[in-house]
Amino acid sequence: MKDSKLYQVLSTLSQSSAESVQTGNGFSDIDKYLHTERPISEELMNRMIEIDNAGGGIILLVGSAGDGKSHLLSKIKDLVDWGDKAFYNDATASCSPNKTAIETLIAGLEDFSDVNIDTTSKKKVLAINLGKLNAFIDDPTVCTMYGKIINATAPLFDEDDSTPPINSDRIKVVEFSNKQLFEIDTQKSGVEAFNSKFLSTILEKIVKKHKDNPFYRAYEEDLMNNISLKSPIMINYRLLMIPEVRETIVRTIIEAIIRFKLAITPREFLDFIYSILISKTLLGYEEKSNFYEALLPTLLYTGGENAILEAVSKLDPMKHSSTQHDADLSILFTSNKIPNGFIPQLVSGYIVPQELLTRTNQFYSNNGRDVERTTKFLFRLKHLLSYHSESRVYLSFVDILKGIFGGDTKKMMDVYSLVTETIPRHYGSYYCKPNSIPLNIQGGKYKLFADLAMKPIQVQYFFSKDKPWEFYPRFILKWQIPNRQEEINLPMDYSLFSYLYDLREGKLAVTYENEKNIVFSHFLRELASKSDCSDSITIVRVGDTDMVLSQIFNSVQLQ
């Protein structure tokens, strides 16, 4: 297998390859070919032009570890004449064993302190992780010397997602945290509304039939050198050429980002591509025992050391039961060849490699000895060729998020209703009366409720149709308490939505579970503290049907 040119060039994508190390000092040939512009590149260039026009200043490029800051600086350096000293690429390290990283930063940014920032002619781009920036602005020495930088970056640490950093003529903040790797098109329906130009472009570059593509050149060279078309590497590469396969990969990763808060770096994505095209079993590969295990449908869904692979493995269709799944598996398990019509008809016009289908049918005819492996493989292959999510919760959240970002008031009211319906269930009761709030004193048989008038108001979110990649995959629900002229907020992300969805579907949180969701527990405690429990309390007996036993008026004062 290692004689394959395609194997050699694909290996450069691996995290263990020399090309995986990004220092900010330049690109390899593979990096140059695969480099894909992200909107943040244009934003950084615009901020640099503004600093040039101001005569000097600093840009803070803020993000998480490994999110592509070094890669971005490598590209920018080739386009501007600021010089190497203008790029501070590692704000987590110290320049001396006698100095901390913060002390090194304080010294390195002296030209941009409060006393120098308005007159300096120096220019700098500081790439810094959000955690290190937080530690920097909390340092007492920094507070006295760099107040203007602190003021500019302070909104990054607020709960209010709609407040951007405060840019000035000489201090600019460019953040990765609100720049997603996927876009939302509020005009499309369902999962079609979510796509990633960045991830899709990289995959397309790898399989593009063009002489400038080193991967395709290697593939053609292997064909000329008579590398077998039954080789797992050749089959996997040809599978990746199918547009529907690439679409499934991208949409599956987007689902993992939203559901599991998966953070993806460009380098991890390249390593992920390597991991789904080249199996670890290749070293001692034997077709009879390793064929299915070395192919893309298996590699994609069965996990691995790569963080993306591990998250995607949770979406393995074999792990999700449904009537349709049971029917498909039953047909596959009792067949003696690939069932007619089981492989989806591809709209793109591409076809599944014939060598794969032929070898699979040969396994089927092997007296049933490989039927379990064959069934699992074909089941995953079908899903690879036609993406759909197995999670009703995810599909519902996608619909809600797209609707809210599109200004759909009905979707806003749907999620407000979800919260209202599930408030009592958090404490183990089906009792549901408008404006009833469970108190913190809850027993096994009896639940106590007080009244609190709550009026839903406009949902708060950060999204712009002009920049559909710039958003947070969450929103903030807000209620007004008319008698108090106060507001109560509840940040809603997928994790909380999933919990409330399950409650609405009939699940009751038992005592030891309900404190697991800290955000919702805190929200309910805040509601209870503002309720009218001094005027009346409703006592409910918990059972198959919750029963209101009595109401106590003006007689109980709860602290």
Side-chain angles (χ1 to χ4, degrees):
M1 294 290 181
K2 293 189 177 180
D3 293 335
S4 162
K5 296 297 182 181
L6 183 57
Y7 170 86
Q8 294 170 14
V9 71
L10 285 172
S11 294
T12 64
L13 304 179
S14 170
Q15 198 83 274
S16 61
S17 72
E19 285 79 0
S20 71
V21 181
Q22 285 289 338
T23 63
N25 293 324
F27 282 168
S28 68
D29 290 340
I30 294 291
D31 282 328
K32 289 176 181 178
Y33 174 73
L34 289 178
H35 176 75
T36 301
E37 290 291 345
R38 295 172 60 184
I40 196 169
S41 302
E42 182 180 357
E43 181 179 344
L44 178 57
M45 286 297 297
N46 289 338
R47 299 294 87 79
M48 294 179 76
I49 292 171
E50 291 170 4
I51 291 295
D52 275 333
N53 293 338
I58 186 171
I59 300 172
L60 291 95
L61 183 62
V62 184
S64 302
D67 55 12
K69 295 186 293 295
S70 296
H71 185 86
L72 179 55
L73 291 188
S74 294
K75 183 66 176 178
I76 294 296
K77 280 184 179 181
D78 294 336
L79 303 177
V80 298
D81 58 357
W82 280 23
D84 286 346
K85 291 184 178 180
F87 297 90
Y88 196 142
N89 190 40
D90 189 1
T92 64
S94 169
C95 65
S96 165
N98 299 320
K99 285 186 176 183
T100 66
I102 298 296
E103 290 170 340
T104 299
L105 264 178
I106 291 173
L109 301 181
E110 184 178 356
D111 290 321
F112 311 100
S113 64
D114 291 346
V115 296
N116 295 326
I117 187 67
D118 292 325
T119 57
T120 185
S121 60
K122 298 292 181 64
K123 305 166 190 174
K124 190 174 290 291
V125 177
L126 169 65
I128 186 168
N129 293 342
L130 197 62
K132 183 57 65 177
L133 176 61
N134 193 22
F136 178 72
I137 66 177
D138 282 345
D139 185 272
T141 303
V142 173
C143 291
T144 61
M145 293 179 61
Y146 296 94
K148 293 182 180 180
I149 288 179
I150 291 175
N151 290 337
T153 57
L156 294 175
F157 304 98
D158 289 344
E159 292 184 359
D160 185 356
D161 288 341
S162 63
T163 304
I166 304 170
N167 288 325
S168 62
D169 289 344
R170 288 175 168 263
I171 300 176
K172 310 289 181 182
V173 180
V174 177
E175 55 175 323
F176 269 86
S177 56
N178 66 353
K179 311 294 193 301
Q180 305 300 328
L181 283 180
F182 64 99
E183 305 85 42
I184 297 180
D185 185 343
T186 58
Q187 301 303 309
K188 293 183 178 180
S189 60
V191 294
E192 297 293 324
F194 290 64
N195 209 348
S196 173
K197 183 178 179 181
F198 179 74
L199 300 181
S200 297
T201 299
I202 292 176
L203 290 174
E204 288 165 7
K205 283 188 173 185
I206 288 175
V207 298
K208 186 177 181 180
K209 298 178 180 179
H210 195 277
K211 60 181 179 60
D212 292 337
N213 179 1
F215 301 94
Y216 189 73
R217 286 203 311 268
Y219 168 74
E220 287 194 311
E221 191 170 343
D222 279 356
L223 290 178
M224 293 174 59
N225 292 333
N226 296 317
I227 297 293
S228 173
L229 288 176
K230 287 198 300 182
S231 157
I233 298 174
M234 300 293 275
I235 290 176
N236 288 342
Y237 188 71
R238 291 168 71 193
L239 283 172
L240 194 65
M241 288 179 176
I242 300 174
E244 286 86 350
V245 169
R246 300 199 298 275
E247 179 183 336
T248 294
I249 292 171
V250 170
R251 294 198 190 282
T252 302
I253 290 175
I254 292 173
E255 182 173 350
I257 291 172
I258 294 175
R259 291 181 61 182
F260 313 128
K261 297 184 178 179
L262 173 66
I264 295 179
T265 69
R267 172 44 59 186
E268 279 179 332
F269 182 60
L270 296 182
D271 183 69
F272 164 80
I273 297 171
Y274 166 81
S275 299
I276 63 174
L277 296 180
I278 297 183
S279 168
K280 290 183 177 180
T281 65
L282 286 182
L283 185 60
Y285 177 78
E286 293 182 6
E287 185 179 283
K288 182 178 179 180
S289 56
N290 303 125
F291 184 69
Y292 292 137
E293 289 71 22
L295 296 182
L296 199 159
T298 304
L299 297 174
L300 177 64
Y301 289 120
T302 54
E305 297 176 1
N306 181 279
I308 305 173
L309 267 184
E310 190 59 32
V312 168
S313 70
K314 299 175 185 177
L315 304 177
D316 179 5
M318 287 296 302
K319 296 179 179 178
H320 300 273
S321 179
S322 70
T323 303
Q324 184 60 52
H325 280 197
D326 292 345
D328 285 346
L329 290 170
S330 177
I331 291 171
L332 289 171
F333 205 85
T334 55
S335 295
N336 57 12
K337 65 176 183 178
I338 300 173
N340 291 332
F342 186 81
I343 302 297
Q345 192 75 27
L346 302 179
V347 177
S348 64
Y350 279 73
I351 59 173
V352 176
Q354 186 58 49
E355 292 75 17
L356 169 59
L357 302 179
T358 299
R359 190 67 184 99
T360 300
N361 278 328
Q362 289 172 351
F363 274 105
Y364 251 132
S365 63
N366 192 19
N367 297 321
R369 282 178 289 183
D370 295 298
V371 66
E372 183 176 347
R373 292 172 60 220
T374 302
T375 295
K376 289 180 179 179
F377 174 77
L378 285 174
F379 188 72
R380 288 170 173 145
L381 176 62
K382 179 178 180 179
H383 283 256
L384 180 65
L385 296 171
S386 179
Y387 169 81
H388 63 276
S389 174
E390 306 295 340
S391 170
R392 290 185 301 163
V393 184
Y394 174 68
L395 295 175
S396 182
F397 182 74
V398 163
D399 193 45
I400 289 288
L401 189 66
K402 177 185 70 69
I404 287 176
F405 285 178
D408 187 334
T409 54
K410 183 181 183 303
K411 296 300 180 186
M412 294 181 186
M413 293 313 299
D414 285 347
V415 77
Y416 275 118
S417 296
L418 172 66
V419 175
T420 303
E421 292 172 24
T422 53
I423 281 175
R425 300 190 185 189
H426 182 69
Y427 283 125
S429 173
Y430 283 111
Y431 177 71
C432 188
K433 178 186 174 185
N435 298 325
S436 291
I437 306 302
L439 299 181
N440 296 338
I441 306 172
Q442 299 293 331
K445 288 187 176 181
Y446 302 99
K447 308 294 181 184
L448 278 66
F449 293 83
D451 292 333
L452 178 65
M454 297 169 61
K455 179 184 178 182
I457 53 180
Q458 182 67 36
V459 177
Q460 181 178 306
Y461 58 90
F462 177 74
F463 176 78
S464 170
K465 292 182 179 179
D466 296 332
K467 298 179 179 180
W469 59 86
E470 192 170 303
F471 61 90
Y472 297 105
R474 58 181 183 259
F475 47 87
I476 300 175
L477 301 175
K478 303 171 79 71
W479 289 264
Q480 187 175 55
I481 305 175
N483 295 336
R484 295 172 177 261
Q485 299 301 312
E486 294 181 78
E487 288 185 4
I488 295 181
N489 301 338
L490 177 64
M492 181 72 69
D493 59 6
Y494 177 82
S495 177
L496 177 55
F497 182 87
S498 177
Y499 173 71
L500 299 183
Y501 185 98
D502 287 342
L503 291 182
R504 186 177 62 183
E505 291 296 296
K507 175 184 177 182
L508 285 181
V510 295
T511 303
Y512 66 86
E513 286 182 326
N514 58 26
E515 289 301 319
K516 287 182 179 179
N517 199 300
I518 297 174
V519 172
F520 199 59
S521 296
H522 175 78
F523 170 68
L524 291 188
R525 284 195 290 270
E526 187 178 8
L527 292 182
S529 71
K530 299 180 184 301
S531 65
D532 298 324
C533 57
S534 60
D535 295 329
S536 68
I537 295 176
T538 300
I539 303 175
V540 176
R541 184 173 67 192
V542 178
D544 293 335
T545 302
D546 289 346
M547 179 183 297
V548 177
L549 291 184
S550 62
Q551 285 189 306
I552 305 174
F553 296 94
N554 300 319
S555 59
V556 179
Q557 180 72 39
L558 295 180
Q559 299 298 323

